[in-house]
Structures are given as C-alpha cells and as structure tokens.
Amino acid sequence: MFERPQSGERAVLVHASPDGLPEESERDEFAELARSAGAVIAAELVSSRRKPEPRYFIGKGKLDELRKLIADNEAELVISSAALSPSQERNLEKELRCRVLDRAGLILDIFAQRARSFEGKLQVELAQLQHLSTRLVRGWTHLERQKGGIGLRGPGETQLETDRRLIGKRIRQLTERLDHVATRRTVNRRNRMRAEIPTVALVGYTNAGKSTLFNALTDAGVFVEDQLFATLDPTVRRLDLPEGERVVLADTVGFVRDLPHELIAAFRSTLQEAREADLILHLIDASDPNRWQRVRQVNAVLEQLDAGEVPQIRVYNKTDKLDRKPRSTDNREGEGRAVWISAITGEGLPLLKEAIARRLRQKTVHRFLHLDPAQGRHRAKLFEMGAVISEDILDEGGWTLELKMAEKDLRRFLKRENLADDQLVPVPVKKTAPAANE
C-alpha cells in the first residue's frame, strides 16, 4: 500500500524543461523560490528533453540519477521547476518514495505561509483547493476501487467522490465569501471615483522593491524582506502629491514567471486594483540583468487582467546599486513616462511624485450617455467604475446615464466596448439662480 509521504525540508531541485536547458537566471529564481518556502536545498538536477516522458516527465536515466541524489543527501522532498500532471506527480512519488512538488505547488505553499489578512487567507485556500481538486485521482491506494467479486468491492470510489464533493462545497463557500469582499472593494473604489480621488496601483516583479517604495511614499509600515513574495496582502494608503493633490496608492502582490492560473483567478479581486486604476506604477529592478524579460512577464499578467491599456509609468528602482543619479523622462505629450529612483535611499522620490501628478492631470468630462435596452452590460460596467452620477429610464426602454469621469478613461471605455461617439451628449451648463433678495 502506497501512502503519500510527509513533506520535509531537505529538497532536491529538478530543473526540468521541454525547451532545452533552463537558463541560469531561471535556475537561480527557482532556487530562491524554494528557499523562500523554507526548503533546504540538498542537491540540484538539471534535465532537458525535447518531449517529456509521459509517465515521469524525466527520462529513465535521470530518474535513476535522482533516486541516487535523494539517497546520498537524505532528501525528503523533490521540487520540479516544470509543471507536472497529477499522474506524473503520483508516479514520481511512488517511484522515489518521497514527496514531489511542482512549481505551482511550491508557489501556493509560499502564499499560504505569507497570507495574513482574512481576504488573503481565503484567496490562498481557494487556490490550493482548486489545485488539489485536480490531484485527487488515485493519490492513495486505499481510495482505489477493489475488484475481484462479491465481498471484495471496497468503498474507494465512494471516498473519492466524497472528497471531491467536500472540496467542491468548500470552493463554493470560499468563492461566495470572496465575492462579498470583492463587492466591498468595488464600493470603496466607486466611492473614491465619485470623490474624484485617483487610484495609482503599484505593480512589479516580485522582490523588485514594491514594499520598500510603498513605505517610502506613504509611511505605511508594510513588512519588507529581501525574499520572493515577502508581502501578499493588499494595502491601500493615501499619497500626497505636489500642490496639495491627493491620490490613493494601492500595493499589489508581486508577479513572477509562470504564475499559477489558480492564483491569478483567486487574487483577481486584489489585482482588480490594477485593472481599475487611473495609473500604474510598474516597478522595475534596474540592477537586474534580466529586467526586460521581467517587464514582459509583468505586462503579460496585466494583459490577462485586462489592465494592459491602463497608463503606466515605468519606475526603475535600485539605482543606488548602479551609481546612477535619479532622473525622469516624458512622453510626447509631456507626461511622465519613466523615472529612475532608489526607494531605499529616497533619491528620486520627488521626481516620481511630480511625474504622477503630471500624468494624472487630465481633463474630466461630464456627459450624458444613451444606452439601448440590449446594452445593459455597459450600464453595469459604468456603475462598477463609479462613473454614473444619475440615471433616467426611458419609456421606450434603455437608459440615459449622467457620467463624470476622466476623458481618457471614457475614450478607452467607448473603444473597448465598441460604443459610438454619437451616443454621448454634453451636459448643459446650469445657470445659477438669483438670490431671493435680488
């Protein structure tokens, strides 16, 4: 009988890739992920196959080499950088007699350790259960159906169905709770938009220095540590800009290469701050030799969140490591495009605040928008954005919405939803009524 082994801390890392040998930077990042989870790296194995072996992902020779590494180093855990199917994970555990984890499982474990807020814990548990639900197939032999005739048919299949039902029930409960949290976030976001307080979202690759910059700008006291995913829980604070302007700065979870889809789905409400933001500060580690690859990976996640069209300022951090002086550059419209700073020393922060202020100084428009009865989805979206001041229901069906929002956001909304400009009507300027004593 095969029982899944208990996980330990001494680990053998398997750098496996179907696209050739993994680059050194990818291996270093994967090792840092393992250390962030608390693993003690006992040994590492590099494997490359043009076509993964269906049963174990790695070939027979590498499997024998891996078995020897486990025995020589008394390892208790194997962590694969490649995504493993449920059957491959189970087959490796049965063959190696130790716990096997892939990259997605490793990141989920790190998130489980770091989540502190109620919402963060719910999101992590949901992601874990969604990941686990695909790995219930014959993970333990006592759950298998017994065959052989009358009196030998066991309840294994019933147990699997029970496990699936319990996990499905818990997933529904977590989803409902997170929906309530997301609703509260939407209400808060809508209130900020009605108060015309812009939102700036801070995004970037993990360990780029987001928490350090967030603390430097807002004195929030967010936990800072030189490790991947040091902070998970979203934080929102007020940021004062030059000339007395105010914005809301929202910190988000760090991105990483091949972020598991379960996490993107579970943290969608948190990352919604980036999607609905008026401006994104894309923090980049200027000292990272692979920074352009990191930039592409962050932008890819933003595209998945439908946040690819939100205006960005690229913030190049850690210039103190490069002996470069802070500076800023503008785009053709004279708006802040990129700023070079050092969050840990504070150099360049005034330039960054000025760039944010100039980028947010955009024209606010006040318009009526006519929507047909079939365009209820657009109406709901505008309410969600907090752009609706008032609403009239038309006798023939449809609505006339009074909108007040940034001109760029309105143009972006019309383009994204394929709405015609002739559906917009300017709001007439109201004349001030004369005083009673005049």
Side-chain angles (χ1 to χ4, degrees), residues 213 279-284 286 291-292 295 311-317 319 324-342 347-359:
L213 177 59
L279 178 66
I280 287 178
L281 298 185
H282 183 168
L283 194 63
I284 302 165
R291 58 184 177 275
W292 296 118
V295 168
Q312 277 192 25
I313 294 179
R314 288 186 176 179
V315 184
Y316 295 90
N317 189 27
T319 55
R324 288 188 179 180
K325 293 183 178 181
R327 63 186 181 94
S328 64
T329 60
D330 296 336
N331 58 20
R332 293 180 179 178
E333 288 75 27
E335 301 170 325
R337 180 181 67 88
V339 184
W340 281 259
I341 67 163
S342 172
E347 293 182 299
L349 295 188
L351 291 175
L352 176 59
K353 289 183 179 181
E354 178 60 33
I356 295 172
R358 283 190 286 115
R359 197 66 182 265

Side-chain angles (χ1 to χ4, degrees), residues 191-352:
N191 291 337
R192 294 198 299 265
M193 294 182 71
R194 284 177 175 169
E196 298 185 2
I197 301 177
T199 299
V200 179
L202 185 58
V203 306
Y205 208 79
T206 183
N207 210 28
K210 293 196 316 304
S211 297
T212 301
L213 177 59
F214 192 80
N215 288 338
L217 290 173
T218 65
D219 296 323
V222 173
F223 175 72
V224 176
E225 188 65 41
D226 185 17
Q227 60 184 12
L228 303 184
F229 302 117
T231 53
L232 291 183
D233 299 319
T235 309
V236 177
R237 292 290 187 274
R238 188 185 76 184
L239 172 62
D240 295 322
L241 297 177
E243 301 182 14
E245 297 164 298
R246 289 182 179 180
V247 300
V248 171
L249 184 63
D251 193 11
T252 62
V253 64
F255 299 161
V256 73
R257 180 177 58 87
D258 299 330
L259 194 65
H261 293 293
E262 297 92 346
L263 279 175
I264 294 178
F267 279 78
R268 184 168 290 274
S269 64
T270 301
L271 297 172
Q272 189 79 358
E273 294 289 353
R275 179 181 177 181
E276 301 295 346
D278 298 283
L279 178 66
I280 287 178
L281 298 185
H282 183 168
L283 194 63
I284 302 165
D285 184 353
S287 65
D288 186 352
N290 299 301
R291 58 184 177 275
W292 296 118
Q293 182 180 355
R294 308 286 188 243
V295 168
R296 289 192 294 270
Q297 289 156 356
V298 170
N299 286 332
V301 176
L302 290 175
E303 289 290 343
Q304 292 182 52
L305 297 169
D306 297 326
E309 295 184 1
V310 179
Q312 277 192 25
I313 294 179
R314 288 186 176 179
V315 184
Y316 295 90
N317 189 27
K318 306 184 183 181
T319 55
D320 53 290
K321 294 185 177 181
L322 303 175
D323 292 329
R324 288 188 179 180
K325 293 183 178 181
R327 63 186 181 94
S328 64
T329 60
D330 296 336
N331 58 20
R332 293 180 179 178
E333 288 75 27
E335 301 170 325
R337 180 181 67 88
V339 184
W340 281 259
I341 67 163
S342 172
I344 198 167
T345 66
E347 293 182 299
L349 295 188
L351 291 175
L352 176 59

